[in-house]
Amino acid sequence: CPVEPSQPVGGEESSAAPAERGDMGNAQKKPHSRGDGGPHSEFSNSHHGHWRGKGASSDKYKVTQESKEKVANGTSKRGSTASAQADQSSSKGTPAGGNASETVNLDAPCGALPPPLARLKNEGNLLFKNGQFADALEKYSLAIQGYTDSGIDSPEDLCILYSNRAACYLKDGNSQDCIQDCTRALELQPFSLKPLLRRAMAYESLERYCKAYVDYKTVLQIDISVQAAHDSVNRITRLLIEQDGPEWREKLPDIPRVPLSAQQHHREEPPSTEVLQARAEKAARDEERKAEVHFTALKQEGNDFVKKGQYHDALGKYTECLKLKPEECAIYTNRALCYLKQERFTEAKQDCDAALKLEPSNKKAFYRRALANKGLKDYLACSADLQEVLQQDPNVQEAEKELEEVTVLLRQSLANANASPAKPRKTVPITEVEGDEETTAVPNSESSCRGEDVTINLHPTDAYEFGQALNAARCSGNTAACSALLASTTPEMLPQFLSTQLDGHTISFIMQALDSHLLEKDPNLVYQHLNHLHTANRFSV
């Protein structure tokens, strides 16, 4: 993208278009004379072959073709052959004069411009470099219109666009529009070198010598090494003396004083701490703004890929977004969706967990984690997440349908667990508990399962007592006693009580007890038990 206006620039570069090289050669090999077409014929046919002067031929004061080309494209410095056409610097090799061996990156970033506007600007730069000034002008105009419509705030980038378009106008001989664009650029970035030079050249082509003189002198305040400005000042001085006489200076407009901060060749003192701090803060703000623009573009590209079903490409964009903003919750849920579409359920669950750490009540993260748990066949955790979604918003029909389906899958899983052969268990005698605690008698056989009556402690105080009571109810098949035990146990304590007891048969028996006796009486308690049950350390379906 083009160099900033404050950067020094040089004369024509060696890779200029063939027509321009021919003009340069003619200007260097023979002087202009009346009837040779004149160096200003490019700008206006009305100036061909004559310049107003007093008492002598004004041909000797005409702008040479070399000077005109230098000012239109940049500024010539003493002894310099470098150039910058249309305020540009290439991020990759840029073809000039039709050299197809080099490549150009038309998508290279340009300041804070969004990618579509940056591409328009890069295309304009390439066209200008190849001598296609009308086409380049159209690209810059589209970029300027797009800048206005986008609502971004980057005066530096808009200044460069106006300056570049002014260069196209100058090349095509449209001096009036060149002056307007340069003036707009200078309103955005006062004392910008290239707009001043181009406006001075346009004024000179319209024979408005006083205004041209003022702009050239302002340029020399900014950078005294610009040779084209020196040559033009000397030439215009002689013209003004012939035109207005010895009092010509009195008719000049005021020449603005250029502040030291805008001057490129003055002895700089070491900046103060305050200045360094201000520069660092500005650099940080600029970097943050550029990162925000880049983040927004990446996110939009990821969203577009999702709409097209290109989930692998979308994953890459969202991952780049997280490198810029690792605490952006929406990016985690978006990437989780891509993982779900690719059936990478573990990664999807991890992204949902990360999103819920940032936003603990994020409904979308709960729903997508439920789908990930379903894919991992963790139906209990899936059910808990879906019920959380419905608790936040009962109108989510997708969650309702998923919950119905997962409930069926959970029951099938538990039925399959019951159908598998049970491991032999050691019988544990249940003794009565002294005191006034509520008890329920259930038949027990052979110390646990032979039809003998046993007492179940409905208020256990630790995992051991809870395990004894649960085993007694399970061995006797007494789901009512189990439901009474669960009703008297707080849901938060259930994972601790079951930490050494939980297996497939036990969870199946607990689910039967909840479904048969508690679900209709107290569905909220059932939900709370299920919500805490899947957190038990040794739980596995």
Side-chain angles (χ1 to χ4, degrees), residues 1-2 106-125 139-154 157-158 161 164 293:
C1 59
L106 295 178
D107 294 316
C110 295
L113 292 178
L117 301 187
R119 183 178 180 86
L120 284 172
K121 181 181 175 184
N122 290 332
E123 289 173 348
N125 292 350
K139 295 294 183 181
Y140 294 137
S141 297
L142 290 173
I144 290 170
Q145 183 60 45
Y147 178 99
T148 304
D149 296 340
S150 67
I152 61 175
D153 181 22
S154 180
D157 293 313
L158 184 57
L161 289 173
N164 286 4
V293 170

mmCIF file of all heavy atoms in Angstrom, residues 1-2 106-125 139-154 157-158 161 164 293:
data_model
loop_
_atom_site.group_PDB
_atom_site.id
_atom_site.type_symbol
_atom_site.label_atom_id
_atom_site.label_comp_id
_atom_site.label_asym_id
_atom_site.label_seq_id
_atom_site.Cartn_x
_atom_site.Cartn_y
_atom_site.Cartn_z
ATOM 1 N N CYS A 1 0.840 -1.189 0.000
ATOM 2 C CA CYS A 1 0.000 0.000 0.000
ATOM 3 C C CYS A 1 0.871 1.233 0.000
ATOM 4 O O CYS A 1 2.025 1.163 0.367
ATOM 5 C CB CYS A 1 -0.919 -0.008 1.215
ATOM 6 S SG CYS A 1 -0.037 -0.068 2.762
ATOM 7 N N PRO A 2 0.348 2.349 -0.389
ATOM 8 C CA PRO A 2 1.175 3.560 -0.560
ATOM 9 C C PRO A 2 1.846 3.993 0.712
ATOM 10 O O PRO A 2 1.371 3.762 1.810
ATOM 11 C CB PRO A 2 0.145 4.596 -1.032
ATOM 12 C CG PRO A 2 -0.934 3.788 -1.655
ATOM 13 C CD PRO A 2 -0.996 2.524 -0.854
ATOM 14 N N LEU A 106 -2.462 -8.037 -4.237
ATOM 15 C CA LEU A 106 -3.530 -7.035 -4.244
ATOM 16 C C LEU A 106 -4.335 -7.039 -2.960
ATOM 17 O O LEU A 106 -5.132 -6.132 -2.726
ATOM 18 C CB LEU A 106 -4.457 -7.277 -5.440
ATOM 19 C CG LEU A 106 -3.822 -7.087 -6.817
ATOM 20 C CD1 LEU A 106 -4.818 -7.410 -7.914
ATOM 21 C CD2 LEU A 106 -3.293 -5.658 -6.984
ATOM 22 N N ASP A 107 -4.157 -8.077 -2.124
ATOM 23 C CA ASP A 107 -4.891 -8.139 -0.857
ATOM 24 C C ASP A 107 -4.042 -7.710 0.334
ATOM 25 O O ASP A 107 -4.408 -7.953 1.482
ATOM 26 C CB ASP A 107 -5.411 -9.567 -0.620
ATOM 27 C CG ASP A 107 -6.464 -9.953 -1.646
ATOM 28 O OD1 ASP A 107 -7.332 -9.114 -1.925
ATOM 29 O OD2 ASP A 107 -6.410 -11.080 -2.168
ATOM 30 N N ALA A 108 -2.882 -7.084 0.052
ATOM 31 C CA ALA A 108 -2.021 -6.627 1.149
ATOM 32 C C ALA A 108 -2.753 -5.568 1.970
ATOM 33 O O ALA A 108 -3.467 -4.732 1.429
ATOM 34 C CB ALA A 108 -0.727 -6.047 0.587
ATOM 35 N N PRO A 109 -2.625 -5.615 3.311
ATOM 36 C CA PRO A 109 -3.317 -4.613 4.142
ATOM 37 C C PRO A 109 -2.781 -3.210 3.896
ATOM 38 O O PRO A 109 -1.603 -3.021 3.589
ATOM 39 C CB PRO A 109 -3.007 -5.084 5.573
ATOM 40 C CG PRO A 109 -1.779 -5.919 5.454
ATOM 41 C CD PRO A 109 -1.834 -6.565 4.102
ATOM 42 N N CYS A 110 -3.661 -2.221 4.005
ATOM 43 C CA CYS A 110 -3.300 -0.813 3.823
ATOM 44 C C CYS A 110 -3.838 -0.011 4.992
ATOM 45 O O CYS A 110 -5.024 0.349 5.006
ATOM 46 C CB CYS A 110 -3.862 -0.269 2.510
ATOM 47 S SG CYS A 110 -3.166 -1.037 1.030
ATOM 48 N N GLY A 111 -2.990 0.247 5.971
ATOM 49 C CA GLY A 111 -3.417 1.048 7.115
ATOM 50 C C GLY A 111 -4.606 0.412 7.805
ATOM 51 O O GLY A 111 -4.643 -0.787 8.070
ATOM 52 N N ALA A 112 -5.632 1.231 8.083
ATOM 53 C CA ALA A 112 -6.831 0.748 8.765
ATOM 54 C C ALA A 112 -7.967 0.489 7.796
ATOM 55 O O ALA A 112 -9.110 0.305 8.220
ATOM 56 C CB ALA A 112 -7.265 1.765 9.825
ATOM 57 N N LEU A 113 -7.684 0.482 6.487
ATOM 58 C CA LEU A 113 -8.744 0.243 5.507
ATOM 59 C C LEU A 113 -9.225 -1.194 5.589
ATOM 60 O O LEU A 113 -8.418 -2.122 5.718
ATOM 61 C CB LEU A 113 -8.232 0.527 4.093
ATOM 62 C CG LEU A 113 -7.911 1.990 3.733
ATOM 63 C CD1 LEU A 113 -7.374 2.059 2.313
ATOM 64 C CD2 LEU A 113 -9.138 2.872 3.883
ATOM 65 N N PRO A 114 -10.550 -1.430 5.509
ATOM 66 C CA PRO A 114 -11.055 -2.806 5.420
ATOM 67 C C PRO A 114 -10.511 -3.488 4.172
ATOM 68 O O PRO A 114 -10.142 -2.818 3.196
ATOM 69 C CB PRO A 114 -12.576 -2.611 5.347
ATOM 70 C CG PRO A 114 -12.828 -1.235 5.857
ATOM 71 C CD PRO A 114 -11.612 -0.430 5.518
ATOM 72 N N PRO A 115 -10.450 -4.831 4.174
ATOM 73 C CA PRO A 115 -9.856 -5.556 3.036
ATOM 74 C C PRO A 115 -10.408 -5.174 1.667
ATOM 75 O O PRO A 115 -9.628 -5.004 0.726
ATOM 76 C CB PRO A 115 -10.145 -7.028 3.385
ATOM 77 C CG PRO A 115 -10.185 -7.046 4.877
ATOM 78 C CD PRO A 115 -10.789 -5.728 5.288
ATOM 79 N N PRO A 116 -11.738 -4.983 1.475
ATOM 80 C CA PRO A 116 -12.205 -4.609 0.120
ATOM 81 C C PRO A 116 -11.657 -3.261 -0.340
ATOM 82 O O PRO A 116 -11.290 -3.101 -1.505
ATOM 83 C CB PRO A 116 -13.734 -4.565 0.273
ATOM 84 C CG PRO A 116 -14.034 -5.410 1.463
ATOM 85 C CD PRO A 116 -12.878 -5.222 2.388
ATOM 86 N N LEU A 117 -11.580 -2.283 0.571
ATOM 87 C CA LEU A 117 -11.048 -0.967 0.190
ATOM 88 C C LEU A 117 -9.542 -1.024 -0.021
ATOM 89 O O LEU A 117 -8.999 -0.355 -0.908
ATOM 90 C CB LEU A 117 -11.391 0.062 1.269
ATOM 91 C CG LEU A 117 -12.879 0.271 1.562
ATOM 92 C CD1 LEU A 117 -13.088 1.426 2.530
ATOM 93 C CD2 LEU A 117 -13.658 0.526 0.274
ATOM 94 N N ALA A 118 -8.847 -1.833 0.790
ATOM 95 C CA ALA A 118 -7.405 -1.983 0.598
ATOM 96 C C ALA A 118 -7.106 -2.584 -0.775
ATOM 97 O O ALA A 118 -6.158 -2.188 -1.463
ATOM 98 C CB ALA A 118 -6.821 -2.860 1.706
ATOM 99 N N ARG A 119 -7.941 -3.522 -1.204
ATOM 100 C CA ARG A 119 -7.723 -4.121 -2.525
ATOM 101 C C ARG A 119 -7.930 -3.089 -3.630
ATOM 102 O O ARG A 119 -7.155 -3.036 -4.598
ATOM 103 C CB ARG A 119 -8.671 -5.307 -2.724
ATOM 104 C CG ARG A 119 -8.438 -6.024 -4.055
ATOM 105 C CD ARG A 119 -9.343 -7.234 -4.227
ATOM 106 N NE ARG A 119 -9.085 -7.865 -5.507
ATOM 107 C CZ ARG A 119 -8.157 -8.775 -5.741
ATOM 108 N NH1 ARG A 119 -7.372 -9.141 -4.743
ATOM 109 N NH2 ARG A 119 -7.991 -9.303 -6.934
ATOM 110 N N LEU A 120 -8.988 -2.263 -3.509
ATOM 111 C CA LEU A 120 -9.207 -1.220 -4.507
ATOM 112 C C LEU A 120 -7.996 -0.293 -4.599
ATOM 113 O O LEU A 120 -7.557 0.086 -5.688
ATOM 114 C CB LEU A 120 -10.464 -0.419 -4.160
ATOM 115 C CG LEU A 120 -11.809 -1.086 -4.449
ATOM 116 C CD1 LEU A 120 -12.938 -0.257 -3.862
ATOM 117 C CD2 LEU A 120 -12.019 -1.262 -5.948
ATOM 118 N N LYS A 121 -7.451 0.069 -3.435
ATOM 119 C CA LYS A 121 -6.296 0.964 -3.420
ATOM 120 C C LYS A 121 -5.080 0.308 -4.073
ATOM 121 O O LYS A 121 -4.383 0.931 -4.876
ATOM 122 C CB LYS A 121 -5.991 1.352 -1.976
ATOM 123 C CG LYS A 121 -4.809 2.307 -1.827
ATOM 124 C CD LYS A 121 -4.582 2.607 -0.358
ATOM 125 C CE LYS A 121 -3.347 3.453 -0.163
ATOM 126 N NZ LYS A 121 -3.049 3.671 1.245
ATOM 127 N N ASN A 122 -4.841 -0.969 -3.746
ATOM 128 C CA ASN A 122 -3.701 -1.673 -4.347
ATOM 129 C C ASN A 122 -3.862 -1.808 -5.860
ATOM 130 O O ASN A 122 -2.893 -1.697 -6.621
ATOM 131 C CB ASN A 122 -3.559 -3.057 -3.705
ATOM 132 C CG ASN A 122 -3.078 -2.976 -2.275
ATOM 133 O OD1 ASN A 122 -2.376 -2.037 -1.909
ATOM 134 N ND2 ASN A 122 -3.456 -3.933 -1.446
ATOM 135 N N GLU A 123 -5.097 -2.054 -6.303
ATOM 136 C CA GLU A 123 -5.330 -2.146 -7.740
ATOM 137 C C GLU A 123 -5.065 -0.795 -8.418
ATOM 138 O O GLU A 123 -4.490 -0.733 -9.508
ATOM 139 C CB GLU A 123 -6.771 -2.588 -8.004
ATOM 140 C CG GLU A 123 -7.038 -4.044 -7.640
ATOM 141 C CD GLU A 123 -8.507 -4.421 -7.757
ATOM 142 O OE1 GLU A 123 -9.344 -3.506 -7.908
ATOM 143 O OE2 GLU A 123 -8.812 -5.616 -7.685
ATOM 144 N N GLY A 124 -5.506 0.287 -7.755
ATOM 145 C CA GLY A 124 -5.236 1.617 -8.302
ATOM 146 C C GLY A 124 -3.745 1.891 -8.390
ATOM 147 O O GLY A 124 -3.253 2.444 -9.388
ATOM 148 N N ASN A 125 -2.995 1.506 -7.361
ATOM 149 C CA ASN A 125 -1.539 1.709 -7.378
ATOM 150 C C ASN A 125 -0.884 0.981 -8.547
ATOM 151 O O ASN A 125 0.002 1.511 -9.224
ATOM 152 C CB ASN A 125 -0.932 1.214 -6.061
ATOM 153 C CG ASN A 125 -1.345 2.063 -4.878
ATOM 154 O OD1 ASN A 125 -1.926 3.128 -5.046
ATOM 155 N ND2 ASN A 125 -1.058 1.595 -3.685
ATOM 156 N N LYS A 139 -10.495 3.368 -9.626
ATOM 157 C CA LYS A 139 -10.299 2.541 -8.422
ATOM 158 C C LYS A 139 -10.214 3.411 -7.172
ATOM 159 O O LYS A 139 -10.824 3.104 -6.139
ATOM 160 C CB LYS A 139 -9.025 1.703 -8.566
ATOM 161 C CG LYS A 139 -9.067 0.674 -9.672
ATOM 162 C CD LYS A 139 -10.097 -0.418 -9.409
ATOM 163 C CE LYS A 139 -10.060 -1.475 -10.498
ATOM 164 N NZ LYS A 139 -11.073 -2.528 -10.259
ATOM 165 N N TYR A 140 -9.448 4.515 -7.251
ATOM 166 C CA TYR A 140 -9.330 5.394 -6.088
ATOM 167 C C TYR A 140 -10.680 6.026 -5.747
ATOM 168 O O TYR A 140 -11.023 6.187 -4.564
ATOM 169 C CB TYR A 140 -8.294 6.486 -6.350
ATOM 170 C CG TYR A 140 -6.880 5.981 -6.496
ATOM 171 C CD1 TYR A 140 -6.026 6.463 -7.484
ATOM 172 C CD2 TYR A 140 -6.376 5.006 -5.633
ATOM 173 C CE1 TYR A 140 -4.728 5.993 -7.622
ATOM 174 C CE2 TYR A 140 -5.085 4.534 -5.763
ATOM 175 C CZ TYR A 140 -4.256 5.025 -6.761
ATOM 176 O OH TYR A 140 -2.983 4.569 -6.883
ATOM 177 N N SER A 141 -11.465 6.366 -6.763
ATOM 178 C CA SER A 141 -12.781 6.960 -6.509
ATOM 179 C C SER A 141 -13.699 5.970 -5.807
ATOM 180 O O SER A 141 -14.427 6.328 -4.875
ATOM 181 C CB SER A 141 -13.411 7.415 -7.832
ATOM 182 O OG SER A 141 -12.644 8.424 -8.447
ATOM 183 N N LEU A 142 -13.660 4.707 -6.245
ATOM 184 C CA LEU A 142 -14.461 3.673 -5.566
ATOM 185 C C LEU A 142 -14.016 3.494 -4.125
ATOM 186 O O LEU A 142 -14.837 3.302 -3.222
ATOM 187 C CB LEU A 142 -14.348 2.350 -6.325
ATOM 188 C CG LEU A 142 -15.041 2.291 -7.693
ATOM 189 C CD1 LEU A 142 -14.693 0.984 -8.402
ATOM 190 C CD2 LEU A 142 -16.552 2.415 -7.536
ATOM 191 N N ALA A 143 -12.707 3.538 -3.882
ATOM 192 C CA ALA A 143 -12.192 3.393 -2.513
ATOM 193 C C ALA A 143 -12.638 4.563 -1.640
ATOM 194 O O ALA A 143 -13.006 4.372 -0.472
ATOM 195 C CB ALA A 143 -10.669 3.287 -2.537
ATOM 196 N N ILE A 144 -12.616 5.777 -2.200
ATOM 197 C CA ILE A 144 -13.047 6.953 -1.433
ATOM 198 C C ILE A 144 -14.530 6.857 -1.096
ATOM 199 O O ILE A 144 -14.954 7.124 0.032
ATOM 200 C CB ILE A 144 -12.742 8.241 -2.224
ATOM 201 C CG1 ILE A 144 -11.228 8.473 -2.290
ATOM 202 C CG2 ILE A 144 -13.433 9.450 -1.591
ATOM 203 C CD1 ILE A 144 -10.811 9.577 -3.247
ATOM 204 N N GLN A 145 -15.345 6.414 -2.070
ATOM 205 C CA GLN A 145 -16.778 6.261 -1.814
ATOM 206 C C GLN A 145 -17.027 5.174 -0.769
ATOM 207 O O GLN A 145 -17.864 5.322 0.132
ATOM 208 C CB GLN A 145 -17.505 5.906 -3.118
ATOM 209 C CG GLN A 145 -19.023 5.796 -2.976
ATOM 210 C CD GLN A 145 -19.653 7.087 -2.505
ATOM 211 O OE1 GLN A 145 -19.325 8.154 -2.993
ATOM 212 N NE2 GLN A 145 -20.544 7.002 -1.533
ATOM 213 N N GLY A 146 -16.277 4.063 -0.886
ATOM 214 C CA GLY A 146 -16.417 2.985 0.094
ATOM 215 C C GLY A 146 -16.013 3.424 1.487
ATOM 216 O O GLY A 146 -16.619 3.017 2.481
ATOM 217 N N TYR A 147 -14.965 4.259 1.582
ATOM 218 C CA TYR A 147 -14.549 4.799 2.882
ATOM 219 C C TYR A 147 -15.685 5.596 3.503
ATOM 220 O O TYR A 147 -16.017 5.440 4.676
ATOM 221 C CB TYR A 147 -13.323 5.683 2.692
ATOM 222 C CG TYR A 147 -12.813 6.335 3.946
ATOM 223 C CD1 TYR A 147 -11.736 5.809 4.646
ATOM 224 C CD2 TYR A 147 -13.407 7.495 4.449
ATOM 225 C CE1 TYR A 147 -11.273 6.412 5.795
ATOM 226 C CE2 TYR A 147 -12.956 8.098 5.605
ATOM 227 C CZ TYR A 147 -11.883 7.559 6.262
ATOM 228 O OH TYR A 147 -11.438 8.162 7.407
ATOM 229 N N THR A 148 -16.327 6.443 2.721
ATOM 230 C CA THR A 148 -17.429 7.265 3.239
ATOM 231 C C THR A 148 -18.586 6.393 3.703
ATOM 232 O O THR A 148 -19.171 6.631 4.767
ATOM 233 C CB THR A 148 -17.912 8.243 2.141
ATOM 234 O OG1 THR A 148 -16.800 9.012 1.692
ATOM 235 C CG2 THR A 148 -18.991 9.155 2.678
ATOM 236 N N ASP A 149 -18.913 5.350 2.919
ATOM 237 C CA ASP A 149 -20.053 4.492 3.266
ATOM 238 C C ASP A 149 -19.765 3.611 4.472
ATOM 239 O O ASP A 149 -20.683 3.252 5.214
ATOM 240 C CB ASP A 149 -20.415 3.605 2.060
ATOM 241 C CG ASP A 149 -20.899 4.442 0.881
ATOM 242 O OD1 ASP A 149 -21.316 5.610 1.106
ATOM 243 O OD2 ASP A 149 -20.855 3.935 -0.252
ATOM 244 N N SER A 150 -18.495 3.228 4.675
ATOM 245 C CA SER A 150 -18.161 2.300 5.770
ATOM 246 C C SER A 150 -18.175 2.962 7.132
ATOM 247 O O SER A 150 -18.303 2.288 8.148
ATOM 248 C CB SER A 150 -16.783 1.675 5.524
ATOM 249 O OG SER A 150 -15.773 2.667 5.611
ATOM 250 N N GLY A 151 -18.009 4.275 7.184
ATOM 251 C CA GLY A 151 -18.045 4.979 8.462
ATOM 252 C C GLY A 151 -16.799 4.828 9.304
ATOM 253 O O GLY A 151 -16.817 5.128 10.495
ATOM 254 N N ILE A 152 -15.681 4.358 8.740
ATOM 255 C CA ILE A 152 -14.449 4.232 9.513
ATOM 256 C C ILE A 152 -13.808 5.598 9.700
ATOM 257 O O ILE A 152 -14.130 6.552 8.999
ATOM 258 C CB ILE A 152 -13.456 3.256 8.835
ATOM 259 C CG1 ILE A 152 -13.078 3.776 7.448
ATOM 260 C CG2 ILE A 152 -14.038 1.875 8.740
ATOM 261 C CD1 ILE A 152 -12.023 2.937 6.761
ATOM 262 N N ASP A 153 -12.895 5.682 10.656
ATOM 263 C CA ASP A 153 -12.250 6.958 10.972
ATOM 264 C C ASP A 153 -10.743 6.786 10.858
ATOM 265 O O ASP A 153 -10.088 6.318 11.787
ATOM 266 C CB ASP A 153 -12.645 7.403 12.389
ATOM 267 C CG ASP A 153 -12.009 8.746 12.753
ATOM 268 O OD1 ASP A 153 -11.639 9.490 11.821
ATOM 269 O OD2 ASP A 153 -11.876 9.038 13.956
ATOM 270 N N SER A 154 -10.194 7.114 9.699
ATOM 271 C CA SER A 154 -8.751 7.010 9.471
ATOM 272 C C SER A 154 -8.333 8.116 8.517
ATOM 273 O O SER A 154 -8.219 7.905 7.300
ATOM 274 C CB SER A 154 -8.386 5.632 8.901
ATOM 275 O OG SER A 154 -6.995 5.551 8.680
ATOM 276 N N ASP A 157 -5.451 7.428 5.945
ATOM 277 C CA ASP A 157 -5.741 6.618 4.766
ATOM 278 C C ASP A 157 -6.566 7.395 3.741
ATOM 279 O O ASP A 157 -6.331 7.288 2.527
ATOM 280 C CB ASP A 157 -6.487 5.350 5.178
ATOM 281 C CG ASP A 157 -5.614 4.423 5.995
ATOM 282 O OD1 ASP A 157 -4.459 4.191 5.588
ATOM 283 O OD2 ASP A 157 -6.062 3.939 7.031
ATOM 284 N N LEU A 158 -7.534 8.190 4.207
ATOM 285 C CA LEU A 158 -8.339 8.975 3.274
ATOM 286 C C LEU A 158 -7.486 10.041 2.587
ATOM 287 O O LEU A 158 -7.658 10.316 1.396
ATOM 288 C CB LEU A 158 -9.514 9.624 4.012
ATOM 289 C CG LEU A 158 -10.509 10.397 3.135
ATOM 290 C CD1 LEU A 158 -11.091 9.488 2.056
ATOM 291 C CD2 LEU A 158 -11.616 11.000 3.983
ATOM 292 N N LEU A 161 -5.682 8.427 -0.268
ATOM 293 C CA LEU A 161 -6.565 8.150 -1.398
ATOM 294 C C LEU A 161 -6.799 9.403 -2.238
ATOM 295 O O LEU A 161 -6.747 9.368 -3.476
ATOM 296 C CB LEU A 161 -7.895 7.585 -0.890
ATOM 297 C CG LEU A 161 -7.851 6.164 -0.315
ATOM 298 C CD1 LEU A 161 -9.195 5.786 0.298
ATOM 299 C CD2 LEU A 161 -7.473 5.155 -1.387
ATOM 300 N N ASN A 164 -3.590 10.239 -4.106
ATOM 301 C CA ASN A 164 -3.370 9.336 -5.238
ATOM 302 C C ASN A 164 -4.274 9.710 -6.418
ATOM 303 O O ASN A 164 -3.847 9.705 -7.576
ATOM 304 C CB ASN A 164 -3.640 7.891 -4.818
ATOM 305 C CG ASN A 164 -2.533 7.344 -3.937
ATOM 306 O OD1 ASN A 164 -1.613 8.050 -3.590
ATOM 307 N ND2 ASN A 164 -2.638 6.088 -3.563
ATOM 308 N N VAL A 293 -9.938 -4.136 13.455
ATOM 309 C CA VAL A 293 -10.340 -4.252 12.052
ATOM 310 C C VAL A 293 -10.038 -5.660 11.533
ATOM 311 O O VAL A 293 -10.859 -6.297 10.860
ATOM 312 C CB VAL A 293 -9.619 -3.190 11.194
ATOM 313 C CG1 VAL A 293 -9.843 -3.444 9.706
ATOM 314 C CG2 VAL A 293 -10.105 -1.790 11.557
#
